[in-house]
Amino acid sequence: NPKNDRPQGCTLIGTIQIPRVGGTLSVTVSPTAWRRATSLLSFGVDLLDGPPEPDPFHGKLPNVTHHIHSLTFGPPFPPGIDPLRNAQHVMDNGSGVALANIAVKLVPTSYVSQNPFSSEVETYQASVARHIVQPETLAAQRSTLLPGLMVTYDFTPLAVRHRERREDFLVFLSSLMGIVGG
């Protein structure tokens, strides 16, 4: 795009309210584009819709490299980090086509700050596992999955209650005396 320095691609911004059951969020190429890409990867020509075209993508397969700026489930967990912030999956297999499969386990978390003026925060901590599925594997297994990004999330049955607090002054004083006294 000549007006800005951003490369070509899609930008998705939004909020999705999800129920407290597992699910999948997918951003993929269309089934027609995937059939054309597998035909081109396998045979070197487009065998779909009429006479074969030498290269329907004009030298470029649909590259599904992506960058996740932020993907959160609930408000931020103050002492933790967001494992899906600034996550990048580069499809460097030559074709730029693959499936980035991200599995997220969500732990319901209740956070209570030691600040007496703050309220309890109900949120989720996330554990993330990433896996890239190459297009040859998708095609060989005749998978119904399409190249792109697939985020599968599931909720754990256990919950965590995180409460910040300090030890009282007498515990500090006795520890200090133990250190100084040797």
Side-chain angles (χ1 to χ4, degrees):
N1 189 348
K3 293 185 179 183
N4 60 25
D5 295 335
R6 297 177 70 185
Q8 291 182 347
C10 300
T11 300
L12 301 176
I13 299 172
T15 302
I16 301 173
Q17 298 294 326
I18 59 172
R20 289 190 179 191
V21 294
T24 302
L25 170 68
S26 297
V27 180
T28 63
V29 298
S30 70
T32 303
W34 174 231
R35 283 194 300 273
R36 289 180 181 272
T38 55
S39 175
L40 189 63
L41 285 170
S42 301
F43 306 112
V45 293
D46 180 15
L47 299 176
L48 302 175
D49 298 332
E53 296 179 31
D55 186 359
F57 299 107
H58 308 291
K60 296 180 181 178
L61 289 173
N63 191 319
V64 294
T65 294
H66 58 273
H67 179 89
I68 300 172
H69 294 280
S70 177
L71 180 60
T72 60
F73 294 86
F77 178 58
I81 59 168
D82 182 6
L84 290 174
R85 181 174 301 280
N86 294 323
Q88 187 164 334
H89 299 91
V90 177
M91 306 308 167
D92 57 359
N93 57 4
S95 67
V97 178
L99 172 65
N101 190 0
I102 301 172
V104 181
K105 288 285 190 183
L106 297 169
V107 180
T109 303
S110 172
Y111 173 74
V112 180
S113 173
Q114 86 180 29
N115 180 355
F117 301 109
S118 66
S119 62
E120 186 171 337
V121 176
E122 297 290 332
T123 187
Y124 297 94
Q125 293 183 70
S127 171
V128 176
R130 297 174 176 92
H131 178 68
I132 305 277
V133 181
Q134 298 300 324
E136 296 82 12
T137 305
L138 291 172
Q141 295 178 352
R142 298 194 186 277
S143 175
T144 58
L145 300 174
L146 300 170
L149 170 66
M150 184 170 70
V151 179
T152 304
Y153 56 92
D154 194 14
F155 296 87
T156 63
L158 303 175
V160 173
R161 182 171 173 88
H162 184 91
R163 176 179 289 228
E164 284 185 352
R165 66 177 188 201
R166 291 187 181 170
E167 298 294 338
D168 64 359
F169 182 71
L170 293 176
V171 172
F172 169 73
L173 190 60
S174 65
S175 297
L176 182 64
M177 296 301 268
I179 293 171
V180 172

